[in-house]
Amino acid sequence: MTSNQAPAPQGRSGGERRLRRPERREQILAAATRTFSRAGYADTGLDAIAAEAGITRVLLYRHFDSKSDLYRAVLDRAFARLSDAVGSGGFGDDSIPALLRAADEDPEGFRLLFRYAAREAEFRDQMDRFSADAEAAAAHYLAAVVPDPTWAKWASQLVPTVAIEAVLCWLDAGRPDAEAAARRIDQAIRGVIAGVIES
């Protein structure tokens, strides 16, 4: 560069290109998902999220009114991705592989939904709906194989719990062989069902 050439213009944070509003929002949501998934809602500050996104806190506030507003948007995004991957049908042969795919495609979002949001009273409404849908799908499937309605109800609550916890453990183990993991989770669920039938 010669002495009479001006330096190239830079973005507001030293080289960052200017993004359109939807792109910036997605950038913030992705960064917030990663940050919240490490420590949950209460222990995550907006400064940490802004730093993860490579933006200022002021810019973050141009997109979200509060930490609660941002967290709700993060949960909505993760839940939509999960619903798209798993679908709204009943429990079937592809249910466990679909759950693993969803976790594999968005591990931070999956952890956030099932490790943190499920335990946070302020944000439980969406997870309660998901749990109710999962239990209803399991109950529909189990009604045909478990004759005792009391045990069928118990199993319909246990089966989704086993599946979710197994997928979380799979993520924590470094996501080994998804196909083998799906078979093992299916075997664990069949073990629960067999135990119910035997009782």
Side-chain angles (χ1 to χ4, degrees):
M1 178 167 64
T2 62
S3 60
N4 61 355
Q5 286 179 311
Q10 294 185 334
R12 294 179 185 177
S13 56
E16 179 185 298
R17 71 183 183 91
R18 191 178 188 123
L19 298 178
R20 291 179 302 203
R21 187 168 182 82
E23 292 172 326
R24 179 69 72 197
R25 180 180 170 87
E26 178 58 26
Q27 176 196 23
I28 294 169
L29 288 172
T33 300
R34 291 190 300 272
T35 311
F36 281 130
S37 74
R38 292 193 286 263
Y41 178 74
D43 294 330
T44 301
L46 289 177
D47 288 333
I49 294 168
E52 179 78 18
I55 61 171
T56 65
R57 188 169 171 157
V58 171
L59 185 54
L60 192 152
Y61 272 117
R62 289 183 188 159
H63 293 266
F64 299 96
D65 294 333
S66 65
K67 178 177 156 180
S68 175
D69 181 43
L70 173 57
Y71 194 61
R72 179 69 67 182
V74 164
L75 295 180
D76 288 345
R77 175 180 177 266
F79 188 74
R81 288 177 158 201
L82 177 64
S83 297
D84 288 348
V86 174
S88 58
F91 184 82
D93 291 342
D94 193 48
S95 296
I96 300 304
L99 196 61
L100 282 165
R101 282 193 301 273
D104 192 39
E105 290 167 8
D106 188 15
E108 292 93 356
F110 196 91
R111 284 190 180 100
L112 188 58
L113 288 173
F114 294 107
R115 203 161 261 159
Y116 292 108
R119 296 173 179 87
E120 294 165 340
E122 185 180 352
F123 304 101
R124 278 199 61 124
D125 54 333
Q126 199 168 57
M127 293 316 300
D128 286 345
R129 285 195 307 273
F130 179 82
S131 295
D133 289 348
E135 286 174 23
H140 180 74
Y141 172 79
L142 290 166
V145 293
V146 180
D148 186 318
T150 304
W151 285 115
K153 181 175 181 180
W154 176 78
S156 70
Q157 294 174 340
L158 183 57
V159 164
T161 301
V162 169
I164 295 297
E165 289 301 321
V167 173
L168 285 169
C169 292
W170 175 75
L171 287 175
D172 292 344
R175 297 185 258 178
D177 190 345
E179 196 173 310
R183 286 197 306 273
R184 285 169 168 79
I185 295 169
D186 185 64
Q187 287 168 359
I189 289 170
R190 290 183 190 283
V192 169
I193 296 169
V196 172
I197 293 170
E198 287 173 10
S199 65

